[in-house]
Amino acid sequence: QVQLVESGGGLVQAGGSLRLSCAASGRTFSSYARGWFRQAPGKEREFVATIIWSGGYTYYADSMKGRFTISRDNAKNTVYLQMNSLKPEDTAVYYCAANTRRSLGPVTNIRAYDIWGQGTQVTVSS
């Protein structure tokens, strides 16, 4: 069984930074893409960023461009999300997800991801 385990969430003041990590454990699996999503209270889960595992291509939601950076460590099978200039509206539970088959759909679409982590809380105070 594959597990994705997020870490690095916490409480930070507006303007601060956090780095989230998502490590894969369990049986060996390959990802076409690994992404981050977030869900704020009372809102739908939304796309944040994703990285194509083999080529390293990255995609971001418009509101995160320039502030968030997604990266990966192939050897550790881990994906990171560096979040800078955080705003109170970034407060949410952040989820890591894996797309194991390209045929599942566009990598910016939540439905394209078939393995999910449990999430990590990020709270940005004003």
Side-chain angles (χ1 to χ4, degrees):
Q1 184 177 358
V2 176
Q3 283 187 316
L4 298 177
V5 180
E6 303 97 335
S7 60
L11 174 64
V12 64
Q13 288 188 333
S17 298
L18 282 175
R19 187 194 194 207
L20 305 183
S21 299
C22 171
S25 64
R27 66 173 173 82
T28 301
F29 79 106
S30 61
S31 302
Y32 173 69
R34 293 267 287 275
W36 290 95
F37 294 78
R38 70 184 186 183
Q39 187 166 18
K43 294 187 177 182
E44 293 186 352
R45 195 171 298 188
E46 64 174 349
F47 169 73
V48 173
T50 195
I51 186 165
I52 306 301
W53 201 255
S54 61
Y57 301 105
T58 58
Y59 302 89
Y60 296 91
D62 287 342
S63 61
M64 287 68 164
K65 289 179 180 177
R67 298 192 301 126
F68 292 7
T69 302
I70 189 170
S71 61
R72 75 197 190 297
D73 184 326
N74 287 11
K76 295 181 179 179
N77 204 353
T78 297
V79 64
Y80 305 96
L81 185 68
Q82 178 67 44
M83 305 186 294
N84 299 327
S85 303
L86 283 163
K87 306 173 183 179
E89 51 264 43
D90 293 319
T91 295
V93 177
Y94 284 70
Y95 296 90
C96 175
N99 166 303
T100 62
R101 302 191 305 278
R102 188 175 182 178
S103 60
L104 288 172
V107 294
T108 56
N109 191 317
I110 191 172
R111 295 181 180 85
Y113 293 82
D114 50 338
I115 300 175
W116 289 84
Q118 293 300 306
T120 185
Q121 177 70 46
V122 171
T123 303
V124 184
S125 62
S126 58

